[in-house]
Short mmCIF file of all heavy atoms in Angstrom, two decimals:
data_model
loop_
_atom_site.label_atom_id
_atom_site.label_comp_id
_atom_site.label_asym_id
_atom_site.label_seq_id
_atom_site.Cartn_x
_atom_site.Cartn_y
_atom_site.Cartn_z
N ASN A 1 -72.25 -38.77 -20.43
CA ASN A 1 -73.72 -38.85 -20.37
C ASN A 1 -74.39 -37.60 -19.82
O ASN A 1 -75.55 -37.65 -19.43
CB ASN A 1 -74.13 -40.05 -19.51
CG ASN A 1 -73.44 -40.04 -18.15
OD1 ASN A 1 -72.97 -39.01 -17.70
ND2 ASN A 1 -73.38 -41.21 -17.51
N GLU A 2 -73.70 -36.49 -19.77
CA GLU A 2 -74.31 -35.24 -19.29
C GLU A 2 -75.03 -34.57 -20.46
O GLU A 2 -74.40 -33.96 -21.32
CB GLU A 2 -73.25 -34.30 -18.72
CG GLU A 2 -73.82 -32.97 -18.25
CD GLU A 2 -72.73 -31.97 -17.88
OE1 GLU A 2 -71.61 -32.40 -17.53
OE2 GLU A 2 -73.00 -30.75 -17.93
N VAL A 3 -76.35 -34.69 -20.48
CA VAL A 3 -77.16 -34.10 -21.54
C VAL A 3 -77.60 -32.71 -21.09
O VAL A 3 -78.26 -32.56 -20.06
CB VAL A 3 -78.38 -34.98 -21.87
CG1 VAL A 3 -79.21 -34.34 -22.98
CG2 VAL A 3 -77.93 -36.37 -22.27
N MET A 4 -77.27 -31.70 -21.86
CA MET A 4 -77.58 -30.32 -21.49
C MET A 4 -79.03 -30.00 -21.83
O MET A 4 -79.47 -30.17 -22.98
CB MET A 4 -76.64 -29.36 -22.23
CG MET A 4 -76.81 -27.91 -21.86
SD MET A 4 -75.51 -26.86 -22.59
CE MET A 4 -74.08 -27.33 -21.60
N ASP A 5 -79.78 -29.55 -20.84
CA ASP A 5 -81.17 -29.15 -21.06
C ASP A 5 -81.23 -27.82 -21.80
O ASP A 5 -80.49 -26.88 -21.48
CB ASP A 5 -81.91 -29.02 -19.72
CG ASP A 5 -82.04 -30.35 -19.00
OD1 ASP A 5 -82.13 -31.39 -19.69
OD2 ASP A 5 -82.04 -30.34 -17.76
N ASP A 6 -82.11 -27.73 -22.80
CA ASP A 6 -82.31 -26.49 -23.55
C ASP A 6 -80.97 -25.84 -23.88
O ASP A 6 -80.65 -24.74 -23.41
CB ASP A 6 -83.19 -25.51 -22.76
CG ASP A 6 -84.56 -26.08 -22.45
OD1 ASP A 6 -85.13 -26.75 -23.34
OD2 ASP A 6 -85.05 -25.87 -21.33
N PRO A 7 -80.14 -26.47 -24.69
CA PRO A 7 -78.79 -25.97 -24.95
C PRO A 7 -78.77 -24.60 -25.62
O PRO A 7 -79.58 -24.33 -26.52
CB PRO A 7 -78.19 -27.04 -25.87
CG PRO A 7 -79.37 -27.68 -26.53
CD PRO A 7 -80.44 -27.68 -25.49
N THR A 8 -77.88 -23.76 -25.16
CA THR A 8 -77.65 -22.44 -25.75
C THR A 8 -76.15 -22.17 -25.73
O THR A 8 -75.41 -22.77 -24.94
CB THR A 8 -78.34 -21.32 -24.95
OG1 THR A 8 -77.74 -21.24 -23.65
CG2 THR A 8 -79.84 -21.56 -24.82
N PRO A 9 -75.66 -21.26 -26.59
CA PRO A 9 -74.24 -20.89 -26.54
C PRO A 9 -73.82 -20.40 -25.16
O PRO A 9 -72.72 -20.70 -24.69
CB PRO A 9 -74.14 -19.77 -27.59
CG PRO A 9 -75.21 -20.11 -28.58
CD PRO A 9 -76.34 -20.64 -27.74
N ARG A 10 -74.70 -19.66 -24.49
CA ARG A 10 -74.36 -19.13 -23.16
C ARG A 10 -74.12 -20.26 -22.16
O ARG A 10 -73.18 -20.22 -21.36
CB ARG A 10 -75.49 -18.21 -22.69
CG ARG A 10 -75.30 -17.64 -21.28
CD ARG A 10 -74.26 -16.52 -21.28
NE ARG A 10 -74.00 -16.07 -19.93
CZ ARG A 10 -74.79 -15.23 -19.25
NH1 ARG A 10 -75.89 -14.76 -19.80
NH2 ARG A 10 -74.46 -14.86 -18.04
N LYS A 11 -74.96 -21.28 -22.19
CA LYS A 11 -74.81 -22.40 -21.25
C LYS A 11 -73.50 -23.14 -21.51
O LYS A 11 -72.80 -23.53 -20.57
CB LYS A 11 -75.99 -23.35 -21.36
CG LYS A 11 -77.29 -22.83 -20.75
CD LYS A 11 -78.39 -23.87 -20.84
CE LYS A 11 -79.67 -23.38 -20.18
NZ LYS A 11 -80.75 -24.39 -20.25
N VAL A 12 -73.17 -23.35 -22.77
CA VAL A 12 -71.92 -24.02 -23.10
C VAL A 12 -70.73 -23.16 -22.67
O VAL A 12 -69.74 -23.66 -22.12
CB VAL A 12 -71.84 -24.33 -24.61
CG1 VAL A 12 -70.47 -24.90 -24.98
CG2 VAL A 12 -72.94 -25.31 -25.01
N ALA A 13 -70.83 -21.86 -22.90
CA ALA A 13 -69.77 -20.95 -22.49
C ALA A 13 -69.56 -20.98 -20.99
O ALA A 13 -68.42 -20.99 -20.50
CB ALA A 13 -70.10 -19.52 -22.96
N GLN A 14 -70.64 -20.98 -20.23
CA GLN A 14 -70.54 -21.04 -18.78
C GLN A 14 -69.90 -22.35 -18.33
O GLN A 14 -69.11 -22.38 -17.39
CB GLN A 14 -71.92 -20.88 -18.15
CG GLN A 14 -72.50 -19.47 -18.27
CD GLN A 14 -73.92 -19.39 -17.76
OE1 GLN A 14 -74.72 -20.30 -17.94
NE2 GLN A 14 -74.26 -18.28 -17.12
N ARG A 15 -70.26 -23.43 -19.01
CA ARG A 15 -69.73 -24.75 -18.63
C ARG A 15 -68.22 -24.84 -18.78
O ARG A 15 -67.54 -25.55 -18.04
CB ARG A 15 -70.41 -25.81 -19.51
CG ARG A 15 -70.06 -27.26 -19.16
CD ARG A 15 -70.63 -27.67 -17.82
NE ARG A 15 -70.44 -29.09 -17.56
CZ ARG A 15 -69.29 -29.64 -17.16
NH1 ARG A 15 -68.24 -28.87 -16.96
NH2 ARG A 15 -69.20 -30.93 -16.94
N PHE A 16 -67.69 -24.08 -19.76
CA PHE A 16 -66.25 -24.18 -20.03
C PHE A 16 -65.49 -22.88 -19.75
O PHE A 16 -64.39 -22.67 -20.25
CB PHE A 16 -66.02 -24.63 -21.48
CG PHE A 16 -66.39 -26.07 -21.69
CD1 PHE A 16 -67.61 -26.40 -22.24
CD2 PHE A 16 -65.54 -27.09 -21.30
CE1 PHE A 16 -67.98 -27.73 -22.40
CE2 PHE A 16 -65.89 -28.41 -21.46
CZ PHE A 16 -67.11 -28.74 -22.01
N GLY A 17 -66.07 -22.02 -18.91
CA GLY A 17 -65.34 -20.87 -18.42
C GLY A 17 -65.11 -19.76 -19.43
O GLY A 17 -64.23 -18.92 -19.24
N LEU A 18 -65.89 -19.74 -20.53
CA LEU A 18 -65.73 -18.68 -21.52
C LEU A 18 -66.51 -17.43 -21.14
O LEU A 18 -66.15 -16.32 -21.51
CB LEU A 18 -66.21 -19.18 -22.89
CG LEU A 18 -65.46 -20.39 -23.44
CD1 LEU A 18 -66.17 -20.94 -24.66
CD2 LEU A 18 -64.02 -20.02 -23.77
N ASP A 19 -67.58 -17.62 -20.41
CA ASP A 19 -68.40 -16.51 -19.93
C ASP A 19 -67.83 -16.09 -18.58
O ASP A 19 -68.16 -16.65 -17.55
CB ASP A 19 -69.86 -16.96 -19.80
CG ASP A 19 -70.75 -15.88 -19.25
OD1 ASP A 19 -70.38 -14.70 -19.36
OD2 ASP A 19 -71.79 -16.22 -18.68
N LEU A 20 -66.96 -15.10 -18.59
CA LEU A 20 -66.20 -14.75 -17.40
C LEU A 20 -67.11 -14.30 -16.27
O LEU A 20 -68.10 -13.60 -16.47
CB LEU A 20 -65.23 -13.61 -17.72
CG LEU A 20 -64.11 -13.93 -18.71
CD1 LEU A 20 -63.22 -12.71 -18.89
CD2 LEU A 20 -63.28 -15.09 -18.23
N GLU A 21 -66.75 -14.70 -15.08
CA GLU A 21 -67.44 -14.17 -13.90
C GLU A 21 -66.90 -12.77 -13.64
O GLU A 21 -65.71 -12.58 -13.39
CB GLU A 21 -67.17 -15.07 -12.69
CG GLU A 21 -67.80 -16.45 -12.81
CD GLU A 21 -67.57 -17.28 -11.57
OE1 GLU A 21 -66.99 -16.74 -10.60
OE2 GLU A 21 -67.97 -18.46 -11.57
N MET A 22 -67.78 -11.80 -13.75
CA MET A 22 -67.35 -10.41 -13.60
C MET A 22 -67.21 -10.04 -12.12
O MET A 22 -68.03 -10.43 -11.29
CB MET A 22 -68.36 -9.46 -14.25
CG MET A 22 -68.73 -9.83 -15.67
SD MET A 22 -67.33 -9.69 -16.79
CE MET A 22 -68.12 -10.15 -18.32
N CYS A 23 -66.21 -9.29 -11.84
CA CYS A 23 -66.04 -8.74 -10.49
C CYS A 23 -66.64 -7.34 -10.49
O CYS A 23 -66.13 -6.44 -11.16
CB CYS A 23 -64.57 -8.70 -10.10
SG CYS A 23 -64.28 -7.95 -8.48
N SER A 24 -67.71 -7.16 -9.74
CA SER A 24 -68.41 -5.87 -9.75
C SER A 24 -67.56 -4.74 -9.20
O SER A 24 -67.84 -3.57 -9.45
CB SER A 24 -69.72 -5.99 -8.95
OG SER A 24 -69.44 -6.36 -7.60
N GLU A 25 -66.52 -5.07 -8.45
CA GLU A 25 -65.67 -4.02 -7.87
C GLU A 25 -64.55 -3.59 -8.80
O GLU A 25 -63.89 -2.59 -8.56
CB GLU A 25 -65.10 -4.52 -6.54
CG GLU A 25 -66.17 -4.81 -5.49
CD GLU A 25 -65.56 -5.30 -4.18
OE1 GLU A 25 -64.32 -5.40 -4.11
OE2 GLU A 25 -66.33 -5.58 -3.25
N THR A 26 -64.31 -4.35 -9.87
CA THR A 26 -63.24 -4.01 -10.81
C THR A 26 -63.67 -2.85 -11.69
O THR A 26 -64.77 -2.85 -12.25
CB THR A 26 -62.91 -5.23 -11.70
OG1 THR A 26 -62.43 -6.29 -10.89
CG2 THR A 26 -61.86 -4.86 -12.74
N VAL A 27 -62.81 -1.84 -11.80
CA VAL A 27 -63.03 -0.75 -12.75
C VAL A 27 -61.95 -0.89 -13.83
O VAL A 27 -60.77 -0.66 -13.58
CB VAL A 27 -62.96 0.63 -12.09
CG1 VAL A 27 -63.08 1.73 -13.14
CG2 VAL A 27 -64.05 0.78 -11.04
N TYR A 28 -62.35 -1.31 -15.01
CA TYR A 28 -61.41 -1.47 -16.10
C TYR A 28 -60.99 -0.11 -16.64
O TYR A 28 -61.72 0.88 -16.51
CB TYR A 28 -62.04 -2.30 -17.22
CG TYR A 28 -62.32 -3.73 -16.84
CD1 TYR A 28 -63.55 -4.10 -16.30
CD2 TYR A 28 -61.37 -4.72 -17.03
CE1 TYR A 28 -63.82 -5.43 -15.95
CE2 TYR A 28 -61.61 -6.05 -16.68
CZ TYR A 28 -62.84 -6.39 -16.14
OH TYR A 28 -63.09 -7.68 -15.78
N ASP A 29 -59.84 -0.09 -17.27
CA ASP A 29 -59.45 1.14 -17.97
C ASP A 29 -60.30 1.32 -19.22
O ASP A 29 -60.69 2.44 -19.54
CB ASP A 29 -57.96 1.08 -18.36
CG ASP A 29 -57.04 1.16 -17.16
OD1 ASP A 29 -57.37 1.92 -16.22
OD2 ASP A 29 -56.01 0.47 -17.15
N VAL A 30 -60.58 0.22 -19.90
CA VAL A 30 -61.38 0.30 -21.12
C VAL A 30 -62.19 -0.98 -21.28
O VAL A 30 -61.69 -2.08 -21.06
CB VAL A 30 -60.50 0.54 -22.37
CG1 VAL A 30 -59.44 -0.56 -22.53
CG2 VAL A 30 -61.34 0.64 -23.63
N VAL A 31 -63.46 -0.81 -21.62
CA VAL A 31 -64.30 -1.93 -22.04
C VAL A 31 -64.55 -1.76 -23.53
O VAL A 31 -65.02 -0.72 -23.99
CB VAL A 31 -65.64 -1.97 -21.27
CG1 VAL A 31 -66.63 -2.88 -21.97
CG2 VAL A 31 -65.41 -2.46 -19.85
N ILE A 32 -64.21 -2.79 -24.28
CA ILE A 32 -64.40 -2.80 -25.73
C ILE A 32 -65.64 -3.61 -26.03
O ILE A 32 -65.73 -4.78 -25.65
CB ILE A 32 -63.17 -3.40 -26.43
CG1 ILE A 32 -61.91 -2.63 -26.06
CG2 ILE A 32 -63.36 -3.44 -27.94
CD1 ILE A 32 -60.62 -3.40 -26.29
N VAL A 33 -66.60 -3.01 -26.68
CA VAL A 33 -67.87 -3.67 -26.96
C VAL A 33 -67.87 -4.10 -28.42
O VAL A 33 -67.97 -3.28 -29.32
CB VAL A 33 -69.07 -2.76 -26.67
CG1 VAL A 33 -70.38 -3.54 -26.85
CG2 VAL A 33 -68.99 -2.18 -25.26
N GLY A 34 -67.73 -5.40 -28.65
CA GLY A 34 -67.70 -5.93 -30.01
C GLY A 34 -66.38 -6.60 -30.31
O GLY A 34 -65.31 -6.03 -30.06
N GLY A 35 -66.46 -7.82 -30.87
CA GLY A 35 -65.26 -8.61 -31.10
C GLY A 35 -64.93 -8.84 -32.55
O GLY A 35 -64.37 -9.88 -32.91
N GLY A 36 -65.25 -7.87 -33.42
CA GLY A 36 -64.84 -7.95 -34.81
C GLY A 36 -63.38 -7.53 -34.96
O GLY A 36 -62.66 -7.35 -33.97
N PRO A 37 -62.90 -7.35 -36.19
CA PRO A 37 -61.50 -6.97 -36.40
C PRO A 37 -61.09 -5.70 -35.66
O PRO A 37 -60.01 -5.64 -35.07
CB PRO A 37 -61.42 -6.78 -37.92
CG PRO A 37 -62.51 -7.63 -38.47
CD PRO A 37 -63.62 -7.56 -37.46
N GLY A 38 -61.96 -4.68 -35.66
CA GLY A 38 -61.63 -3.44 -34.97
C GLY A 38 -61.55 -3.63 -33.47
O GLY A 38 -60.61 -3.15 -32.81
N GLY A 39 -62.53 -4.33 -32.91
CA GLY A 39 -62.53 -4.55 -31.47
C GLY A 39 -61.35 -5.37 -31.00
O GLY A 39 -60.73 -5.07 -29.98
N VAL A 40 -61.01 -6.42 -31.76
CA VAL A 40 -59.88 -7.26 -31.36
C VAL A 40 -58.56 -6.50 -31.52
O VAL A 40 -57.66 -6.64 -30.70
CB VAL A 40 -59.87 -8.57 -32.17
CG1 VAL A 40 -58.60 -9.37 -31.92
CG2 VAL A 40 -61.09 -9.41 -31.80
N ALA A 41 -58.44 -5.68 -32.56
CA ALA A 41 -57.24 -4.84 -32.70
C ALA A 41 -57.10 -3.90 -31.51
O ALA A 41 -56.00 -3.72 -30.96
CB ALA A 41 -57.29 -4.05 -34.00
N ALA A 42 -58.21 -3.30 -31.09
CA ALA A 42 -58.18 -2.44 -29.91
C ALA A 42 -57.78 -3.23 -28.68
O ALA A 42 -57.04 -2.74 -27.81
CB ALA A 42 -59.55 -1.78 -29.71
N ALA A 43 -58.25 -4.48 -28.59
CA ALA A 43 -57.89 -5.33 -27.45
C ALA A 43 -56.40 -5.63 -27.41
O ALA A 43 -55.79 -5.65 -26.35
CB ALA A 43 -58.69 -6.63 -27.52
N VAL A 44 -55.80 -5.85 -28.58
CA VAL A 44 -54.36 -6.11 -28.66
C VAL A 44 -53.58 -4.90 -28.17
O VAL A 44 -52.69 -5.01 -27.32
CB VAL A 44 -53.95 -6.47 -30.10
CG1 VAL A 44 -52.42 -6.50 -30.23
CG2 VAL A 44 -54.54 -7.81 -30.52
N TYR A 45 -53.92 -3.74 -28.71
CA TYR A 45 -53.15 -2.53 -28.38
C TYR A 45 -53.43 -2.05 -26.96
O TYR A 45 -52.55 -1.47 -26.32
CB TYR A 45 -53.42 -1.43 -29.41
CG TYR A 45 -52.65 -1.67 -30.68
CD1 TYR A 45 -53.14 -2.50 -31.68
CD2 TYR A 45 -51.40 -1.08 -30.89
CE1 TYR A 45 -52.42 -2.75 -32.84
CE2 TYR A 45 -50.67 -1.31 -32.04
CZ TYR A 45 -51.18 -2.14 -33.01
OH TYR A 45 -50.45 -2.39 -34.15
N ALA A 46 -54.63 -2.28 -26.46
CA ALA A 46 -54.92 -1.92 -25.07
C ALA A 46 -54.04 -2.72 -24.13
O ALA A 46 -53.45 -2.19 -23.18
CB ALA A 46 -56.40 -2.14 -24.76
N GLY A 47 -53.98 -4.04 -24.38
CA GLY A 47 -53.12 -4.88 -23.54
C GLY A 47 -51.66 -4.51 -23.67
O GLY A 47 -50.92 -4.47 -22.68
N ALA A 48 -51.22 -4.24 -24.91
CA ALA A 48 -49.82 -3.90 -25.13
C ALA A 48 -49.43 -2.60 -24.43
O ALA A 48 -48.28 -2.43 -24.02
CB ALA A 48 -49.54 -3.79 -26.63
#
């Protein structure tokens, strides 16, 4: 019975932990902007 007020993708993402809580002190080696085929391929090889 939890009815979401003014539903948006962002609210649903936050509810289920998809919208990561960023740590402002973390300095990543690489931030990839965009999740299409190229971005996801870069994400695979960056992790590897």
Side-chain angles (χ1 to χ4, degrees):
N1 52 20
E2 178 189 335
V3 180
M4 184 172 288
D5 295 329
D6 300 320
T8 65
R10 177 76 185 281
K11 287 183 178 180
V12 175
Q14 289 175 322
R15 185 68 173 79
F16 289 99
L18 299 170
D19 177 23
L20 295 181
E21 293 183 4
M22 310 294 181
C23 177
S24 60
E25 297 180 1
T26 297
V27 176
Y28 293 91
D29 290 323
V30 57
V31 164
I32 303 160
V33 185
V40 172
V44 170
Y45 282 85

